[in-house]
């Protein structure tokens, strides 16, 4: 077989089962592609020995005729996941040299299902960012370029390495995490599918925490079917995560019928932002028409508190981050600054954290401690929590009115240039999350599906938001949209 790295999970699974190829072959092809793609900055730790061993074990298992769907599938793993004995740094200097003694629940479930780990993937430091520019490893780069312009573009963030690696066919799929959009925005920027499950569907155990009430891991894949297959292996109840839901896991792949007749799709008017590029408007109305043609009922809806989502998120997420990151103190994990004669414990904390954390992480810790401080707790943190409840109620109201899924753009623009936002106000960067943070605040499942190209030839994504725990239905709507949009474009190889 040719082009093994271009296979989807479903195609690779079927080909391996038929004996047309082996995990060893696909894995070697991916390792070679990774070796030739240093310019993308996607893989930051390489694990070819582990991959080769896991692939051999997977091939033996497939031969028995009783292998799970993910068996033998080579994956990239976001650096936020703790992987036993393998550097897991959350792209931060403070975790340099940290090799966990344990495996995150998600990766251990994937490996138990026979998946193969090619290495760890670049990301924004502690998953804080929308462009992968806050990483201690340097930028990840989008395999797409604008027309004939060779300016390097962001693959989005924080799961930028995952996005770049999947879009450039360095792996068949990757894990991502999403606190405010970090799976869906990068997926949209590189033309792949990114799913954030319902909060509690996937265990957070062993994933470096950013904002614990918002964080959720999910699959980043070449298409919707692969999302269904990979989610199946990632999710389920985990007693080690007290917020993980003890609910049955449906068969997501078998829900992909492509039949959405009679389903009601909500179009929220508040997502029609001022100054939204015409191309995004058009993509959105084209997507609406596609779902209508497929037999869905289109309904204009209102989510009145949408405008408060971004400010509420940028209070709640930093508040939780400042508390979660307190553990990086020079004692328990990773880096400790060199101390001078006479330095005490305070100097150790100060120097370690000043050296170990980059500027964006420091900004979040400062915002977080500020909004949680005695004089401001009610004015900021408690108010943001109340806003969060209202946002959640907005969604509950439309779902109670019979809406099955909500269609919105995934991002307010296509991928922008690396460095283009460096001098901008940080709020410009935060605006990237305008369509995605509501979903995390409400704990809902959301998926980004590539749906078109902009004038400059860059991918654009549409987002579908589903009812809690109804990923199966959501995936089926996304599958229908994917089929209608027929997005098949690939970046031209330059790396
Ligand atoms: N861009 C958002 C932030 O910086 C979301 C990040 C994420 O989802 N991890 O907080």
């Amino acid at each position: 077989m040719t082009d093994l790295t271009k296979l989807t999970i479903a195609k690779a699974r079927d080909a391996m089962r038929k004996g047309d190829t082996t995990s060893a072959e696909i894995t070697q092809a991916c390792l070679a592609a990774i070796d030739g793609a240093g310019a993308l900055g996607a893989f930051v730790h390489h694990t070819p020995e582990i991959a080769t061993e896991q692939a051999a074990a997977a091939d033996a298992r497939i031969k028995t005729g009783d292998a799970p769907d993910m068996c033998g599938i080579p994956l990239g793993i976001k650096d936020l996941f703790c992987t036993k004995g393998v550097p897991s740094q959350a792209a931060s200097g403070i975790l340099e040299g940290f090799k966990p003694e344990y495996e995150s629940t998600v990766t251990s479930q994937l490996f138990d299902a026979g998946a193969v780990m090619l290495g760890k993937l670049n990301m924004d430091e502690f998953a804080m960012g929308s462009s992968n520019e806050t990483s201690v490893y340097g930028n990840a780069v989008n395999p797409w370029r604008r027309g004939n312009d060779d300016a390097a573009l962001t693959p989005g963030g924080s799961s930028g390495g995952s996005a770049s690696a999947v879009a450039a066919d360095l792996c068949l799929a990757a894990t991502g995490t999403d606190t405010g959009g970090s799976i869906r925005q990068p997926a949209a920027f590189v033309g792949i599918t990114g799913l954030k499950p319902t909060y509690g569907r996937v265990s957070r155990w062993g994933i470096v925490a950013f904002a614990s009430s918002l964080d959720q891991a999910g699959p980043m894949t070449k298409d919707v079917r692969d999302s269904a297959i990979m989610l199946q292996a990632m999710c389920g109840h985990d007693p080690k995560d007290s917020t993980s839901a003890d609910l049955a896991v449906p068969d997501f792949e078998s829900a992909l019928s492509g039949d959405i007749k009679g389903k009601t799709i909500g179009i929220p008017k508040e997502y029609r932002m001022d100054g939204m590029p015409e191309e995004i408007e058009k993509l959105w109305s084209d997507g609406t028409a596609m779902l209508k043609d497929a037999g869905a009922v289109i309904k204009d809806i209102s989510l009145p508190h949408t405008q408060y989502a971004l400010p509420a998120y940028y209070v709640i997420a930093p508040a939780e981050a400042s508390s979660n990151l307190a553990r990086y103190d020079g004692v328990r994990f990773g880096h400790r600054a060199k101390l001078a004669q006479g330095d005490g414990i305070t100097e150790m904390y100060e120097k370690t954290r000043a050296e170990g954390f980059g500027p964006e992480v420091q900004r979040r810790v400062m915002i977080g401690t500020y909004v949680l401080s005695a004089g401001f707790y009610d004015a900021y943190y408690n108010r943001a929590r109340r806003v969060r409840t209202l946002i959640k109620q907005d969604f509950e109201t439309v779902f109670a009115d019979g809406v099955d899924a909500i269609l919105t753009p995934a991002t307010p623009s296509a991928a922008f240039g690396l460095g283009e936002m460096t001098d901008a106000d940080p709020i410009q960067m935060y605006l990237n999350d305008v369509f995605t943070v509501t979903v995390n605040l409400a704990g809902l499942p959301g998926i980004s599906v590539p749906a078109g190209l902009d004038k400059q030839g860059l991918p654009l994504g549409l987002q579908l938001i589903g009812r809690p725990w109804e990923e199966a239905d959501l995936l089926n709507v996304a599958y229908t949209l994917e089929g209608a949009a027929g997005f098949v474009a690939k970046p031209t190889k330059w790396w």
Side-chain angles (χ1 to χ4, degrees):
M1 289 184 86
T2 51
D3 281 346
L4 293 174
T5 64
K6 292 197 167 60
L7 291 173
T8 59
I9 294 174
K11 289 209 172 102
R13 168 193 65 188
D14 299 346
M16 288 189 285
R17 285 180 181 167
K18 275 205 280 174
D20 291 346
T21 186
T22 61
S23 177
E25 280 174 349
I26 307 175
T27 299
Q28 289 314 314
C30 289
L31 290 171
I34 294 167
D35 279 345
L40 293 175
F43 277 87
V44 291
H45 299 289
H46 299 249
T47 56
E49 291 87 8
I50 295 177
T52 307
E53 217 171 276
Q54 286 175 327
D59 282 329
R61 199 164 163 191
I62 292 165
K63 276 215 184 91
T64 67
D66 188 28
D69 289 340
M70 290 300 291
C71 192
I73 304 294
L75 302 176
I77 304 295
K78 187 177 181 178
D79 201 34
L80 204 63
F81 291 77
C82 286
T83 42
K84 192 171 179 197
V86 173
S88 305
Q89 264 182 256
S92 181
I94 210 149
L95 280 173
E96 190 167 347
F98 175 53
K99 289 188 186 165
E101 290 298 323
Y102 44 83
E103 191 69 51
S104 79
T105 297
V106 166
T107 45
S108 70
Q109 285 186 196
L110 286 168
F111 300 152
D112 287 349
V116 170
M117 173 167 72
L118 297 163
K120 302 299 285 284
L121 291 164
N122 208 348
M123 54 179 281
D124 279 299
E125 183 177 5
F126 283 105
M128 297 173 191
S130 302
S131 64
N132 209 124
E133 290 169 289
T134 71
S135 166
V136 74
Y137 309 116
N139 300 336
V141 181
N142 195 324
W144 292 81
R145 288 178 157 176
R146 293 177 182 130
N148 296 324
D149 182 352
D150 59 10
L153 304 179
T154 175
S158 67
S159 310
S162 306
S164 176
V166 175
D169 295 319
L170 308 184
C171 51
L172 271 51
T175 61
T177 63
D178 191 313
T179 304
S182 281
I183 287 177
R184 291 159 288 155
Q185 182 255 23
F189 275 10
V190 303
I192 65 165
T193 303
L195 171 67
K196 183 204 92 77
T198 312
Y199 182 79
R201 180 60 98 181
V202 174
S203 169
R204 289 179 297 107
W205 195 82
I207 302 174
V208 175
F210 164 10
S212 308
S213 76
L214 301 161
D215 296 343
Q216 194 61 196
M220 298 180 69
T221 57
K222 295 182 191 184
D223 65 15
V224 174
R225 179 176 298 278
D226 283 6
S227 255
I229 298 171
M230 188 164 162
L231 175 64
Q232 191 86 35
M234 291 173 75
C235 71
H237 180 236
D238 177 12
K240 288 190 284 200
D241 172 0
S242 60
T243 61
S244 123
D246 195 356
L247 286 177
V249 177
D251 182 340
F252 297 118
E253 191 184 6
S254 70
L256 306 179
S257 64
D259 179 4
I260 58 160
K261 276 187 207 73
K263 294 272 174 201
T264 302
I265 307 295
I267 309 293
K269 67 167 190 268
E270 290 78 8
Y271 283 60
R272 192 150 280 124
M273 302 279 169
D274 281 347
M276 190 152 95
E278 218 173 276
E279 298 177 298
I280 304 279
E281 287 262 11
K282 181 165 178 330
L283 182 83
W284 193 11
S285 53
D286 287 352
T288 308
M290 288 173 205
L291 294 176
K292 190 168 178 215
D293 287 347
V297 177
I298 306 298
K299 183 173 177 179
D300 288 322
I301 59 166
S302 172
L303 300 166
H305 297 93
T306 301
Q307 60 173 312
Y308 306 115
L310 213 47
Y313 172 85
Y314 277 97
V315 169
I316 292 169
E320 294 187 21
S322 70
S323 156
N324 273 326
L325 269 56
R327 74 190 73 182
Y328 306 106
D329 55 9
V331 180
R332 282 171 284 183
F333 304 91
H335 178 78
R336 175 188 297 178
K338 283 209 175 26
L339 301 181
Q341 195 73 20
D343 277 354
I345 193 162
T346 308
E347 288 78 12
M348 181 185 72
Y349 288 164
E350 284 176 358
K351 289 184 180 176
T352 296
R353 290 167 69 84
E355 280 175 18
F357 290 142
E360 182 60 27
V361 173
Q362 293 186 15
R363 178 180 297 125
R364 307 274 180 123
V365 169
M366 284 192 286
I367 296 173
T369 43
Y370 179 81
V371 300
L372 289 175
S373 60
F376 299 105
Y377 192 91
D378 275 329
Y380 293 106
Y381 184 63
N382 267 339
R383 185 172 298 180
R385 288 202 311 169
R386 285 199 292 270
V387 170
R388 180 177 189 174
T389 303
L390 294 173
I391 289 168
K392 191 159 182 271
Q393 285 169 357
D394 284 353
F395 284 105
E396 284 164 0
T397 307
V398 298
F399 290 138
D401 279 351
V403 168
D404 294 294
I406 297 168
L407 181 75
T408 78
T411 58
S413 72
F416 48 90
L418 286 163
E420 249 168 42
M421 297 272 220
T422 313
D423 299 323
D425 185 310
I427 292 174
Q428 283 307 112
M429 192 65 97
Y430 300 167
L431 283 172
N432 264 285
D433 309 322
V434 63
F435 300 131
T436 49
V437 291
T438 49
V439 175
N440 302 76
L441 289 169
L444 302 172
I447 186 166
S448 161
V449 179
L453 296 173
D454 78 351
K455 292 198 276 301
Q456 314 196 74
L458 295 179
L460 296 171
L462 284 170
Q463 169 177 245
L464 283 158
I465 304 168
R467 297 165 177 257
W469 313 115
E470 296 195 1
E471 287 89 354
D473 257 8
L474 178 68
L475 281 158
N476 186 38
V477 180
Y479 179 69
T480 310
L481 181 65
E482 171 185 64
F487 183 93
V488 288
K490 292 291 261 180
T492 311
K493 189 169 186 301
W494 53 265
W495 58 91

